[in-house]
Amino acid sequence: MTNSPDIGRVATSLMVARPRELLRELREGTDRVKALKAIKNQVIGSKFKKNAFVSEGAVEAVLEVLRDATSSANPSEDKMEVVQQQAAIVIGSLSLSDVGLRRLISNEGLPFLLTMLHSADEAVVEAALWAVKMVVQQSTCVPSYFTRPPAREAGSPLPESPAAAAAAATPGPTVAAAGPLSVTPVRLDATAMSAIVRCLAVAGSSAAHTGSGSGMLAAVPRSGRTAAIVALAAALVACCCRRTEERNLAIAAGAPEKMLRLLLGSDRADTQVAALEGLSLMLPYQPSACALALSCPEIYGRLFTLLRDPTPSVRLLAASCAATLCRMPGCEQTEAMQRAALPVLLRLLTQPATRPHVPAVLASLVEASEALQKAAADADAVRLLAGLLAAEAVAAEAETTTARTTGQAVAAPDAAAVSSGVTPYLATCAAADGGVSSSLREGCLRALGSLCLNHDESRKQLLEAKVLRHIVKALEDPSNGVRAAAALCVRALTRCVRTLRGGLLEGGGGELAQLLVDMLTDQELEVQTNAAAAVCNLVLDFSAVKSAVLSAGGLTRLVELTRSPATPLRHHATWALANMLYRADNSVRVQLMEALPWSRLRQLLFDSDPRVVEQALVILRNLCMAGRQQVAAALEWAESDRSGGGGECGGSGGGFASVTGLCTTPAPAHGHGPPDQQPLPATGDKETRYDGILDVLQARIQAAAAAMSVTDVESESAASTPGVSHSPHSEGAASPPSASASAPALAAAAATTAGIFRVTRPEQYLQTVAHATHALYAVANLLTGGATVKDLVASRRPLLAAVAALLYPRAGELALPAVWCAVNLTWPAGGGSGGGGGGGVDRLNRLEQEAVATRCNALLDVRGEERLEELSRQHPSRDVQERARTALEQLRSGAGLAVRTSDTSSPAAVMTALTAQGL
Amino acid sequence: MGRGEAGSKKNIPMDVWEQKLATVKVPKADLNKLIMNFLVTEGYVEAARMFEKESGTAPGVNLDAITDRMEVRRALQGGDVEAAMERVNDLDPEILESQPKLFFHLQQQRLIELIRAGNVESALDFAQQNLAPLAEENVEFLEELERTVALLAFEDSKSSPLGDLMDVAQRQKTASELNAAILQSQAQEKEPRLPLLLKLLLWAQAQLDERAMYPRINDVATAQLVPPTKAE
């Protein structure tokens, strides 16, 4: 109709008179209740009238009445409570217009409402609660949860044209004055929140049962004013929980327990649903409330029932609570709840009304369970989520364009932060759109990431869905959560080479590398962690990506991240560095040694987390690559850093101090303090320059060797050495870095405990084995270096003894790297076999042969021959047997003992060794 | 059903059926609850009070609240929309605050009552003051408002093409909408369970018709079991 604007304009002129009259009546008249009621009946439901009254000073006038009513000098004859009740409702209604809300705040009206919450009159309490709820609703721009869904069809949430979006005219009155710019922030303080939370408990029943689960089923009145107050309070608390600060206040005020009681005890549907919503928002942040919930057996039945509720949004909230509780240790029906919640969520995902809020809940449900991830993937969840992600991205683009053309600001980042996390409420009002779409985006990405993390089929589906563009774009999203979730997707995708070839790496991978390096510099920890994991996966298989990551400065960045206090990030960063070195050419090794000083790696080698230690050992193993030059470079690197940290190394010669097992250097400092926290003493010992690396490796090998022997003796030694039965790592951390060999001490402690772990804590045992494997290979690699290194290794009797201890059929997998050590140690230098020591060899060759003999004898000293012989006969692996035979041959010929029996070998070996030393 | 199918259906004679029915125990208390639910939801306050007294069945809700609800309905059906709205606002301000469609329908009903009273001036005045702002915000409302205001153009609005708006049924419709909203705000079911059970019965019989011949209830008012007609 073309004349409707005219009607509106005429109406405006007519409207002004009435509010003014009514307000005069309120100020001057005798019947204030009548005036208040008249105002109330005009403003309820009409945004237009609210604005008209507010602009005539209605908020101030009503507050004035309230002030009078509560003061002792009450001029009117009306009953104070009735005045308060009606005034509160008028204030609440007027607060639903943003102007009204602003007036209320600027006139400091909120405390009046909050004071009324303590009134003895239930009608006053109810009215005040309602008014506060309106204020909170309006200030969060989130419509009421229950009343909203049926009313929503009334006004379509999406404006039809850009012009319509620009106009302030948003549909229903509850979403009045929408738009991120017009939200008036109202902050409730702790006192206010505790007054509200107090209303959750029915008067008189709160003291009867506190804490114990059995009291949770106390009767909550079904009808009447009390029931209405409880229902209102529950809805208000749920509404407050949508904002972080108020949620924390509500938790502090004890809301979770009271809401739980309502969920289990109330049979009013609206109260239950409000309690459910509040709990779905609070439980993820309050493990103690989860524990309390799980202590009531009724919670399971109630959630199962609510999962079947006819209202989709209720099912969603129930699934959200179930997802949170499933992950708690005390949950008795984890599987049953997961199995019940998953199909519900998958169905909700197909329904437009609930769809935007499902992915976040789905993500949190499947995150913890691989079986669920598979089940969800089988139900076509990947395709659905990808479709949702794409649709959301398109809508967001359109919205941005719209906002730009109409001069509106795009949803502020903090608006998005407000509703990040699980936000199951079904508000689709324009103002919250930024938040909803951001939470939808995050939910989709997170769920997709979880689904793809362990399933190749899902990764394939995700690539087929052609949403890679949106995932990559989300890596630059202003919301931390969205970026983290997108990074999880990328990480999941990098787990499969095949999917990568057709997807992320299209076009060479250079762009991807830059992207990943950017992600490594992200401010959000989770993004960094996922990016490090992605780099870790990529550099293993794609040399192009590896060099691109290098040239984008990824190496330096990863080294920086190894300092992170967050263990997963440190672990992934270390791992990524280790993988960078895998099959890398020399330039990569050189670059890494430049970026990562030995002192830093040494800290990682003594990290509190064994997984970090393992990757640090892999770095060391990959650095000490076979080859004279490489080994020399690695040793040079360790030495140069040491001299930088602890002063010059002197050149004066000394004895083989380490032969005796005494370490001349202290164990490096633990933790993640600055490098070279502990200046190393300048021992002036020429050989100590290698001790840094060798000490570390020796300790790890000794730990494994001791674990083996202790396992053989079984529990005996565990009982005999109670003093050191801590975990090997904490022991290492606790031991003072005294010069008297803390590394062997660490090894001894580890040894004692590792044996116990083999039986009681197999994980720790496996860790010890893994550490030793890398250490053994590193030693084997070092033994391909120059004679100096070889001699140094050979001169370490404890190291050789530990290696020899692993030359043992029962050492299992460790026997192979150990045998490699033996092979390399006894390797005849210069290609000459040196069998009989013919007369045609020159002096240099003879010197070399003597050096070989020294090494071989050192091995004989630690019963290497018997060990190798036993190994060559009894190890289950043919490969090991073969190598053992090779080592044995080399050993015998190197030591010139080809025909000698092992019984007589020892004295001769010592003699040879002495001779060698003398030279 | 086709003739060929009849033979494949199971035939359940009356005595077997009644035997089966006899094994189903329905506690009297449940039946009473069902009746109370009907009385309460439909708003038969006096009957509910009597039934409570006689059967000892708790109404489950505050009967005074029903009185309020019934008064709202009575006011609306009597044409006093304003009184009905005031009453609703006293009961729960949230109802009209949060349901713009319902609020518009009530204001529209007020306009209709003014037109019915032949008060053209105040009808126009009311439309301008209270309905135009709502219509400005919502296209759907605008159309309805146009339709309603158009009543003024007719000499005899009742026999006009828009006469349905003037009908008592329009009042009933608005009253039902409001009643349902009040029930919802009090967290009660919007309709009694009894009709739902009858619907369920009809559905179940329809399912059974495809599989068996059995004593059927053809008239729900009498609930008489009609024995199956002999097959063949």
Side-chain angles (χ1 to χ4, degrees):
Chain A
M1 199 197 242
T2 46
N3 62 342
S4 70
D6 294 332
I7 292 180
R9 216 169 298 139
V10 178
T12 314
S13 61
L14 282 169
M15 278 302 301
V16 243
R18 295 284 314 269
R20 197 169 287 168
E21 270 167 40
L22 272 173
L23 288 173
R24 192 185 309 127
E25 186 87 22
L26 180 66
R27 289 194 192 96
E28 296 159 14
T30 46
D31 196 344
R32 297 189 155 191
V33 173
K34 194 180 158 201
L36 283 169
K37 279 194 169 188
I39 297 172
K40 175 182 84 174
N41 288 324
Q42 286 220 29
V43 294
I44 284 183
S46 169
K47 192 190 145 212
F48 180 76
K49 296 252 176 130
K50 287 184 215 297
N51 286 337
F53 273 89
V54 169
S55 60
E56 287 296 324
V59 173
E60 291 82 354
V62 178
L63 284 176
E64 191 57 42
V65 170
L66 269 180
R67 212 165 278 143
D68 286 351
T70 42
S71 73
S72 51
N74 185 354
S76 93
E77 307 200 342
D78 305 314
K79 206 169 162 252
M80 185 184 93
E81 282 79 15
V82 184
V83 175
Q84 281 185 320
Q85 182 205 1
Q86 295 301 323
I89 289 174
V90 173
I91 296 273
S93 180
L94 291 176
S95 300
L96 285 178
S97 86
D98 202 60
V99 214
L101 181 61
R102 251 177 280 154
R103 292 277 182 96
L104 178 73
I105 303 303
S106 61
N107 284 290
E108 288 168 6
L110 195 55
F112 280 104
L113 298 176
L114 294 169
T115 313
M116 277 191 264
L117 293 178
H118 297 280
S119 170
D121 189 314
E122 284 196 322
V124 175
V125 176
E126 187 184 2
L129 269 177
W130 185 77
V132 176
K133 183 166 153 249
M134 294 303 112
V135 168
V136 173
Q137 246 173 251
Q138 179 65 17
S139 72
T140 47
C141 219
V142 173
S144 160
Y145 185 70
F146 319 100
T147 51
R148 196 60 196 145
R152 197 170 47 219
E153 301 92 333
S156 68
L158 283 176
E160 283 169 7
S161 68
T170 25
T174 38
V175 278
L181 297 176
S182 59
V183 176
T184 304
V186 174
R187 296 276 170 248
L188 298 173
D189 60 8
T191 325
M193 191 56 76
S194 67
I196 294 165
V197 169
R198 210 177 54 98
C199 299
L200 285 176
V202 182
S205 70
S206 56
H209 38 257
T210 34
S212 88
S214 56
M216 281 294 173
L217 279 177
V220 177
R222 171 83 181 82
S223 62
R225 190 143 252 159
T226 318
I229 287 178
V230 171
L232 254 179
L236 176 53
V237 171
C239 194
C240 288
C241 286
R242 291 163 189 165
R243 290 192 297 197
T244 315
E245 291 131 62
E246 269 111 345
R247 183 189 63 221
N248 293 340
L249 288 176
I251 290 173
E257 192 196 326
K258 293 195 167 94
M259 294 287 256
L260 191 61
R261 187 164 291 139
L262 291 181
L263 178 67
L264 299 180
S266 167
D267 57 358
R268 240 182 99 133
D270 57 351
T271 310
Q272 264 185 37
V273 175
L276 187 66
E277 187 190 359
L279 286 171
S280 76
L281 294 167
M282 287 187 284
L283 287 181
Y285 305 93
Q286 189 64 356
S288 67
C290 293
L292 182 66
L294 292 169
S295 72
C296 318
E298 300 88 6
I299 187 79
Y300 301 104
R302 183 47 59 94
L303 283 181
F304 285 130
T305 309
L306 288 166
L307 277 170
R308 291 190 301 264
D309 195 275
T311 315
S313 52
V314 176
R315 293 201 296 276
L316 179 60
L317 292 174
S320 169
C321 281
T324 308
L325 292 178
C326 277
R327 302 165 67 144
M328 304 311 285
C331 187
E332 283 167 19
Q333 301 194 24
T334 301
E335 254 185 68
M337 284 220 280
Q338 287 174 335
R339 268 205 306 271
L342 184 65
V344 168
L345 285 173
L346 291 173
R347 197 159 315 136
L348 291 174
L349 198 56
T350 61
Q351 294 179 6
T354 44
R355 191 180 289 155
H357 308 276
V358 177
V361 184
L362 187 62
S364 87
L365 184 72
V366 301
E367 223 159 43
S369 159
E370 235 179 273
L372 279 191
Q373 289 161 13
K374 174 132 186 23
D378 288 346
D380 210 17
V382 173
R383 207 182 48 81
L384 279 168
L385 287 164
L388 202 51
L389 180 68
E392 187 280 325
V394 170
E397 266 165 38
E399 195 179 277
T400 314
T401 324
T402 307
R404 209 174 288 136
T405 52
T406 55
Q408 257 185 345
V410 192
D414 54 333
V418 163
S419 46
S420 70
V422 185
T423 48
Y425 58 88
L426 301 183
T428 42
C429 68
D433 245 0
V436 167
S437 93
S438 149
S439 104
L440 168 61
R441 203 174 306 154
E442 179 181 344
C444 282
L445 289 165
R446 202 168 280 283
L448 284 171
S450 289
L451 291 178
C452 293
L453 209 53
N454 299 310
H455 296 282
D456 219 17
E457 191 54 35
S458 300
R459 288 190 275 264
K460 220 174 95 192
Q461 286 175 2
L462 182 58
L463 285 174
E464 278 164 7
K466 307 254 178 254
V467 288
L468 217 49
R469 184 169 67 92
H470 304 305
I471 296 176
V472 170
K473 191 155 180 275
L475 288 170
E476 289 165 355
D477 199 276
S479 152
N480 290 347
V482 172
R483 285 199 315 281
L488 180 68
C489 276
V490 172
R491 171 185 171 186
L493 285 174
T494 58
R495 282 194 169 183
C496 174
V497 177
R498 197 160 42 82
T499 52
L500 279 172
R501 288 240 159 79
L504 275 174
L505 290 178
E506 256 171 20
E511 273 173 54
L512 180 68
Q514 186 57 55
L515 202 67
L516 287 171
V517 174
D518 288 348
M519 282 158 70
L520 289 175
T521 16
D522 199 281
Q523 49 169 341
E524 174 71 16
L525 178 71
E526 214 189 324
V527 178
Q528 295 177 336
T529 311
N530 284 325
V535 170
C536 191
N537 294 337
L538 279 172
V539 296
L540 209 52
D541 294 298
F542 299 94
S543 51
V545 177
K546 189 185 285 186
S547 49
V549 167
L550 282 172
S551 58
L555 203 60
T556 334
R557 192 60 201 137
L558 283 170
V559 170
E560 276 167 40
L561 293 181
T562 62
R563 291 180 200 282
S564 165
T567 305
L569 178 54
R570 223 162 57 236
H571 177 222
H572 288 151
T574 317
W575 196 341
L577 287 173
N579 283 356
M580 290 277 255
L581 288 175
Y582 178 72
R583 288 188 185 162
D585 53 36
N586 202 42
S587 75
V588 179
R589 272 198 291 277
V590 170
Q591 286 185 57
L592 183 101
M593 285 190 279
E594 271 167 21
L596 179 73
W598 163 242
S599 55
R600 177 76 211 115
L601 182 63
R602 207 172 40 202
Q603 284 179 336
L604 292 172
L605 286 164
F606 284 85
D607 197 275
S608 56
D609 189 280
R611 293 168 308 162
V612 177
V613 174
E614 179 176 349
Q615 293 312 322
L617 282 164
V618 176
I619 293 179
L620 198 53
R621 173 181 165 182
N622 289 345
L623 271 181
C624 302
M625 275 304 282
R628 217 170 261 259
Q629 282 182 341
Q630 282 85 340
V631 170
L635 295 171
E636 183 74 21
W637 161 69
E639 184 204 16
S640 67
D641 183 51
R642 163 184 300 221
S643 61
E648 283 303 313
C649 283
S652 64
F656 287 107
S658 53
V659 172
T660 61
L662 282 173
C663 280
T664 48
T665 54
H670 248 272
H672 316 287
D676 286 336
Q677 197 175 30
Q678 228 116 38
L680 294 157
T683 54
D685 194 327
K686 184 178 152 210
E687 277 70 30
T688 56
R689 53 187 250 189
Y690 305 138
D691 284 356
I693 290 180
L694 279 181
D695 274 341
V696 171
L697 299 175
Q698 180 180 323
R700 295 295 155 190
I701 296 167
Q702 280 177 319
M708 293 296 157
S709 66
V710 169
T711 320
D712 289 347
V713 188
E714 289 305 319
S715 53
E716 225 174 283
S717 66
S720 66
T721 53
V724 281
S725 57
H726 316 286
S727 108
H729 309 293
S730 66
E731 174 68 21
S735 71
S738 73
S740 67
S742 41
L746 162 67
T752 320
T753 45
I756 302 161
F757 288 145
R758 190 179 200 172
V759 187
T760 58
R761 298 175 67 179
E763 233 173 76
Q764 299 263 2
Y765 175 76
L766 289 176
Q767 205 75 62
T768 308
V769 169
H771 288 172
T773 306
H774 298 305
L776 282 167
Y777 276 119
V779 171
N781 286 345
L782 282 175
L783 285 171
T784 63
T788 337
V789 197
K790 290 188 179 195
D791 290 344
L792 193 62
V793 172
S795 67
R796 280 179 170 250
R797 194 188 158 100
L799 173 58
L800 284 191
V803 172
L806 296 170
L807 293 170
Y808 188 49
R810 282 172 71 176
E813 293 165 26
L814 282 174
L816 183 63
V819 110
W820 271 115
C821 287
V823 169
N824 289 352
L825 184 74
T826 55
W827 185 257
S833 68
V841 286
D842 60 13
R843 189 175 161 268
L844 199 70
N845 210 348
R846 214 181 66 236
L847 276 177
E848 267 187 23
Q849 274 186 11
E850 277 163 4
V852 171
T854 314
R855 286 173 219 140
C856 289
N857 283 319
L859 191 55
L860 287 173
D861 259 1
V862 292
R863 296 167 66 203
E865 195 183 7
E866 313 166 36
R867 290 291 199 172
L868 282 169
E869 226 177 80
E870 196 184 347
L871 198 62
S872 68
R873 282 197 307 268
Q874 288 179 14
H875 196 275
S877 158
R878 184 158 291 213
D879 189 30
V880 173
Q881 289 183 12
E882 203 66 38
R883 308 269 173 226
R885 268 194 287 278
T886 311
L888 203 56
E889 273 169 31
Q890 287 179 182
L891 176 67
R892 284 174 176 158
S893 74
L897 299 167
V899 287
R900 256 216 304 268
T901 62
S902 52
D903 286 339
T904 53
S905 67
S906 294
V910 171
M911 267 203 358
T912 329
L914 284 172
T915 322
Q917 231 172 30
L919 287 164
Chain B
M1 75 191 78
R3 254 188 302 162
E5 287 168 31
S8 64
K9 281 189 185 178
K10 197 177 172 186
N11 196 339
I12 307 165
M14 190 61 134
D15 51 336
V16 177
W17 190 253
E18 281 186 332
Q19 260 177 15
K20 277 192 192 295
L21 282 182
T23 62
V24 181
K25 296 265 181 292
V26 182
K28 185 127 197 256
D30 284 357
L31 288 175
N32 284 344
K33 271 192 206 159
L34 209 55
I35 292 164
M36 184 54 101
N37 168 271
F38 176 80
L39 295 176
V40 164
T41 314
E42 288 294 295
Y44 298 109
V45 187
E46 287 315 309
R49 285 219 167 89
M50 287 300 286
F51 189 67
E52 183 184 10
K53 208 177 281 173
E54 284 175 15
S55 69
T57 311
V61 292
N62 187 354
L63 287 175
D64 296 331
I66 303 184
T67 319
D68 287 332
R69 187 152 50 85
M70 284 307 107
E71 274 177 27
V72 169
R73 184 182 272 264
R74 205 172 300 139
L76 198 53
Q77 287 180 349
D80 192 350
V81 188
E82 200 172 350
M85 287 174 78
E86 281 168 15
R87 192 103 210 180
V88 170
N89 284 341
D90 284 343
L91 267 179
D92 185 355
E94 179 107 8
I95 296 173
L96 297 185
E97 199 69 273
S98 62
Q99 302 190 36
K101 202 171 189 170
L102 172 66
F103 182 71
F104 176 82
H105 285 153
L106 286 167
Q107 297 287 55
Q108 182 192 26
Q109 192 65 43
R110 272 172 91 174
L111 177 62
I112 292 169
E113 300 305 340
L114 284 170
I115 294 170
R116 198 195 310 277
N119 198 338
V120 178
E121 195 114 328
S122 41
L124 268 179
D125 191 34
F126 180 81
Q128 285 169 342
Q129 277 193 46
N130 296 290
L131 281 158
L134 299 178
E136 267 180 43
E137 290 171 10
N138 191 313
V139 189
E140 196 189 334
F141 296 165
L142 183 62
E143 278 168 27
E144 285 222 46
L145 175 59
E146 282 170 9
R147 245 166 66 84
T148 318
V149 174
L151 283 171
L152 288 167
F154 296 97
E155 195 78 16
D156 179 8
S157 48
K158 263 188 202 140
S159 56
S160 75
L162 301 166
D164 58 312
L165 287 174
M166 304 294 290
D167 205 71
V168 188
Q170 179 70 24
R171 279 184 183 172
Q172 286 279 14
K173 208 172 112 190
T174 315
S176 296
E177 196 184 345
L178 186 55
N179 187 52
I182 298 171
L183 279 171
Q184 196 197 6
S185 84
Q186 292 167 346
Q188 291 174 43
E189 290 145 55
K190 282 193 263 183
E191 57 176 319
R193 303 226 171 150
L194 213 47
L196 203 71
L197 270 181
L198 287 179
K199 279 184 208 165
L200 212 60
L201 170 79
L202 295 178
W203 177 84
Q205 287 198 146
Q207 295 288 307
L208 206 53
D209 282 342
E210 290 171 16
R211 293 176 185 87
M213 308 284 288
Y214 60 98
R216 211 174 179 283
I217 295 177
N218 289 336
D219 180 4
V220 280
T222 60
Q224 197 74 47
L225 287 174
V226 180
T229 46
K230 284 265 176 350
E232 287 161 296

